[in-house]
Amino acid sequence: MINTLNDYVNAVRENGYVVIKDAIAQELVADLLDFANSFEYSEQEREVLTANQQRLNGYGATIYNIPAKKPEVVRHFIRGLCGDILRALLNDKYYRSIPEDLPNYILRSVLLRSSVGAMPYHIDSFIPYPGDYTSVVQTVLFLEESKRDNGCTLLIPRSHLSGAYAPQGDNPMAIALEAEPGDIAIWDSRIWHATLENTAHRSRWALVGTFVRWYIKQGFDYPRAISEEMFNGLDIDEKIVYGFCSYTPTDEFERTELKSGIDHITRPR
Ligand SMILES: O=C(O)CCC(=O)C(=O)O
């Protein structure tokens, strides 16, 4: 039985993944699903996105850069049990200028995706290595049921410890991670994972967050992209996670400290 924070963290360390059942209130899930169902890129935007599409994103329907569209979205992952698990897995214990009860990890990306074709096996840490040091974690909030017939996630338990890139083709060790709306799956991004094909043609929207240690490149330059108005509406933990303590300064007169503390949370000049 998985009960305590340690149980959840150890499950990720040992097996590479864990699921928090019923992690998010159904009203919030419905609100996010509404957004996913009603959002549409313009034809021109779609052309730009397709021209510059990463290979793996071609296997699903994707809405990118959700923080720019719903700034509060990161809160659902960095607070409560999910936030405690992320801190245990990704906080740098030598980052002493931020108190331990706050995150010092940052956001790579949050996107919405629904399965279409079968997504091939891959890792999202980009570097495979063995050992219990996690540097990239995915958090997937399911907005609809995710079953074998509508393209659920496949995972190979313990493969995050293999030190190898994911081989392609059927894997007899794979488990189908079926989930219900409101569940959050958390995995170490070294884990070999894929999705099944959506043969039911029934949508399977999920909010996919990727969080990284403070020194790893972000998916977008949030500190420079976030407006003053949005910045002023964020709490301290959100500002840290968006990268305001650890962004790359332009020169030494902007900042010399790579790991700034909470007294130096500023927008880039
Ligand atoms: O949608 C899923 O279940 C997995 C998504 C995934 O593997 C990814 O975004 O890298």
Side-chain angles (χ1 to χ4, degrees), residues 56-57 111 113-115 119-120 122-124 138 140 142 146 151-154 187 193-195 204 206 208 210:
L56 288 173
N57 287 331
L111 52 78
R113 90 170 286 281
S114 178
S115 291
M119 188 187 232
H122 62 283
I123 63 172
D124 286 300
Q138 255 138 349
V140 182
F142 294 95
S146 183
C152 75
T153 319
L154 295 177
W187 60 74
H193 62 285
T195 72
R204 197 226 68 162
V208 182
T210 306

Side-chain angles (χ1 to χ4, degrees), residues 50 53-62 64 113-120:
T50 314
Q53 191 165 57
Q54 191 219 356
R55 179 182 72 105
L56 288 173
N57 287 331
Y59 295 90
T62 310
Y64 300 91
R113 90 170 286 281
S114 178
S115 291
V116 181
M119 188 187 232

Side-chain angles (χ1 to χ4, degrees), residues 18-162:
V18 79
V19 178
I20 310 177
K21 295 298 295 174
D22 262 328
I24 298 287
Q26 289 302 320
E27 303 82 72
L28 197 54
V29 171
D31 176 59
L32 287 164
L33 182 58
D34 233 35
F35 175 79
N37 281 325
S38 55
F39 182 88
E40 263 192 75
Y41 284 116
S42 68
E43 207 173 303
Q44 203 181 11
E45 286 169 335
R46 267 202 302 272
E47 254 176 53
V48 174
L49 290 170
T50 314
N52 158 42
Q53 191 165 57
Q54 191 219 356
R55 179 182 72 105
L56 288 173
N57 287 331
Y59 295 90
T62 310
I63 307 170
Y64 300 91
N65 198 8
I66 303 303
K69 302 165 182 66
K70 284 185 114 26
E72 73 291 353
V73 78
V74 155
R75 284 181 201 172
H76 312 317
F77 292 128
I78 70 171
R79 296 185 184 165
L81 178 57
C82 188
D84 290 343
I85 297 169
L86 283 173
R87 273 204 325 280
L89 293 168
L90 291 178
N91 261 16
D92 177 354
K93 65 179 174 184
Y94 297 111
Y95 197 139
R96 297 209 168 98
S97 52
I98 293 181
E100 273 171 33
D101 60 346
L102 286 170
N104 64 47
Y105 61 83
I106 56 175
L107 176 70
R108 177 189 285 168
S109 64
V110 185
L111 52 78
L112 278 159
R113 90 170 286 281
S114 178
S115 291
V116 181
M119 188 187 232
Y121 277 103
H122 62 283
I123 63 172
D124 286 300
S125 60
F126 304 143
I127 306 175
Y129 57 92
D132 62 9
Y133 184 89
T134 299
S135 44
V136 184
V137 171
Q138 255 138 349
T139 53
V140 182
L141 166 60
F142 294 95
L143 307 181
E144 296 182 284
E145 62 166 20
S146 183
K147 303 287 171 191
R148 284 176 176 76
D149 69 345
N150 68 343
C152 75
T153 319
L154 295 177
L155 293 168
I156 314 295
R158 303 184 62 78
S159 56
H160 64 305
L161 302 174
S162 65

